[in-house]
Amino acid sequence: MNVQAATNGAINGLLEKYKTDEAPTPTPNNSNGFDVAEYLNKYGVKVIKTKSHGSSKLYCLEHCVFNSEHKNEAAIGQTVDGKLFYQCFHDSCKGRTWHDARQVISGSDRIAERLEVKKQPTVDNEKKITLITYGEISEMEVKNDALVEGLLGRRESLIISGPSGIGKSAFSNFLTLVAASPPPDGLWGKFKIQRPLTSFVVQSENGMAAQTVRLSKLFKASPELTRGAERVITTKVGTDCRLTGSLTDPDFQNILLDSLEAVNADILVLDPLISYHGEDENDNAAMRRSLDCLTIICDKADVSPILYHHYNKNGQTRGASSIRDWAANMLLMDYANTDDDRVVIKMTHDKARNFQQQPCFYLDRTPDLTFLLCEKPGGRQEDQTCAVVDCLLDLGGCVSSQTILIDAVKEKLRCGRTTAQRAIKNAINFKKIMPTKKEKNGASSGYKLSK
């Protein structure tokens, strides 16, 4: 493999084990070097038998990894193209996935470090073409397997675009860490994250020193994000962490595929797009060829790509229209005017191929590089939220009854009860105030200022 050409720089130890010009090919029982039997034996998981199930191979387990009382009911399966899945016929284990099972079996251990990666000669498997009617398609059962509900479907693409300096790379750090350890309300209470997601980040703009400083700031301000740090993996290129290459280069494709499979990724992040193609960015056909190569890579690895992309001088997403056409989803980042020194970013859900588009929302980019939901600067909502905070301050910073604050807000805003309740709810959503201890019926007994 010509690593120098594939990465535009020495990649040192990252792919030292891939010293072959042969690409991996999937086989039913040992796809891309991952030996399920060896893996289970290494971690003491007893296999009682193996059997074929359609085009997949099942490794039937003596005990379910989640409950040892479930005997002879569980199996780990491997499809013909190497994808892994977990099944247990007990009702309490419905919905368990390979990701869940792997966490129980080997925890945070990297499979790539535990198992020898074996290469197989390339084989062009002929794809059989069959015919199907729209009527048959319409009757198929569709499973909701979105990774981020409303924003990122399985094997769907997301492009996040914005002007230089707005903080796209910092946003990438924040987004992948939240996805790795998702809060109950998801991203800003708008996009539900189905489960902890593993991201493989390939970026070319921030060296190891810069990333160290950024992550130290972020973790100090939001220590809860450290819970997902092991699920965000990037490259180590000598003493650096930047990596570039071309999506149309077979060697670089193999680097991505091998890495994605080694870490069992859900998401591939490329930041920025321009570092991963060698085309004229305004050439529709050339850009589509590069992005179609990315689609093939992501389909093979069963991951969803997130690309970060720049604006042009006119404040629009740069390059050929085929870039936007290719994307299933798009988020646009723009500066919002403020009367103070805050950096408030207007987020526009510009495209959603299979989801409902969300209304514009606003994020406060803090000095600690977190991105917190905030009000529209200078808007009525911001005025109402400020009024709620002022009322609570006038009342000593804490009230023991909802009615006390509602009445104070009604008087200050000269509004009805419904408007006052909505203003209080927004103040809670924007983390300006918080409910006090709840009553037995679940209702809040009062409010206090957030810390």
Side-chain angles (χ1 to χ4, degrees), residues 152-416:
L152 185 64
R154 181 168 171 259
R155 296 190 187 179
E156 278 194 359
S157 53
L158 168 64
I159 290 181
I160 300 174
S161 184
S164 296
I166 200 167
K168 294 187 292 297
S169 294
F171 185 82
S172 174
N173 290 340
F174 180 78
L175 181 63
T176 53
L177 287 165
V178 172
S181 183
D185 61 346
L187 276 170
W188 313 296
K190 296 178 179 294
F191 304 106
K192 181 74 173 178
I193 302 173
Q194 301 300 326
R195 56 178 172 80
L197 302 174
T198 298
S199 296
F200 177 55
V201 180
V202 185
Q203 60 89 29
S204 66
E205 294 190 337
N206 294 289
M208 195 70 79
Q211 284 289 66
T212 300
V213 171
R214 286 170 175 236
L215 291 174
S216 295
K217 281 185 179 181
L218 190 56
F219 290 152
K220 184 176 181 180
S222 304
E224 70 277 5
L225 293 180
T226 60
R227 293 196 297 265
E230 293 302 311
R231 286 184 174 271
V232 184
I233 301 101
T234 190
T235 57
K236 186 170 184 290
V237 187
T239 58
D240 202 354
C241 57
R242 288 172 290 190
L243 178 67
T244 60
S246 175
L247 291 168
T248 56
D249 184 334
D251 287 340
F252 187 65
Q253 292 172 9
N254 282 336
I255 289 173
L256 295 181
L257 278 169
D258 290 338
S259 301
L260 290 166
E261 291 171 1
V263 302
N264 209 25
D266 300 296
I267 294 171
L268 167 63
V269 175
L270 296 180
D271 178 22
L273 171 59
I274 194 172
S275 293
Y276 303 100
H277 67 81
E279 316 291 350
D280 176 354
E281 206 161 72
N282 294 304
D283 186 327
N284 269 306
M287 287 308 302
R288 187 63 193 227
R289 280 194 298 272
S290 284
L291 292 170
D292 284 344
C293 286
L294 178 58
T295 298
I296 293 170
I297 292 168
C298 292
D299 283 350
K300 285 182 178 179
D302 193 18
V303 299
S304 300
I306 299 179
L307 308 184
Y308 288 83
H309 191 37
H310 294 300
Y311 273 10
N312 60 25
K313 293 180 180 179
N314 298 321
Q316 298 175 328
T317 298
R318 193 169 68 191
S321 60
S322 61
I323 299 174
R324 176 183 168 81
D325 294 340
W326 172 84
N329 308 282
M330 290 194 72
L331 271 180
L332 304 183
M333 304 173 70
D334 285 296
Y335 290 105
N337 294 326
T338 63
D339 296 328
D340 50 32
D341 294 332
R342 292 182 303 156
V343 179
V344 176
I345 299 170
K346 179 182 178 181
M347 302 296 294
T348 303
H349 196 198
D350 187 56
K351 184 178 180 182
R353 183 175 293 162
N354 296 311
F355 301 114
Q356 182 177 348
Q357 285 179 257
Q358 289 282 332
C360 293
F361 57 98
Y362 294 82
L363 301 177
D364 185 359
R365 191 191 80 191
T366 71
D368 298 311
L369 303 180
T370 59
F371 292 77
L372 305 179
L373 189 69
C374 67
E375 314 95 324
K376 178 180 179 180
R380 182 185 178 192
Q381 194 177 60
E382 183 178 33
D383 293 339
Q384 290 181 345
T385 301
C386 290
V388 172
V389 173
D390 289 342
C391 287
L392 199 52
L393 284 169
D394 293 340
L395 293 167
C398 181
V399 294
S400 59
S401 166
Q402 295 183 60
T403 303
I404 295 174
L405 183 58
I406 291 172
D407 289 343
V409 174
K410 282 171 58 180
E411 182 177 351
K412 189 173 187 66
L413 293 178
R414 297 185 179 182
C415 65

Side-chain angles (χ1 to χ4, degrees), residues 1-55:
M1 177 185 293
N2 187 344
V3 174
Q4 183 73 24
T7 64
N8 295 337
I11 194 169
N12 293 337
L14 177 64
L15 295 173
E16 187 67 24
K17 56 184 175 293
Y18 303 131
K19 292 182 181 294
T20 174
D21 292 324
E22 296 174 332
T25 184
T27 58
N29 62 346
N30 190 15
S31 173
N32 297 328
F34 185 83
D35 190 320
V36 178
E38 181 186 346
Y39 170 75
L40 295 175
N41 180 63
K42 187 178 291 290
Y43 289 97
V45 179
K46 187 173 181 179
V47 177
I48 56 177
K49 64 179 178 180
T50 60
K51 65 179 183 179
S52 297
H53 179 70
S55 60

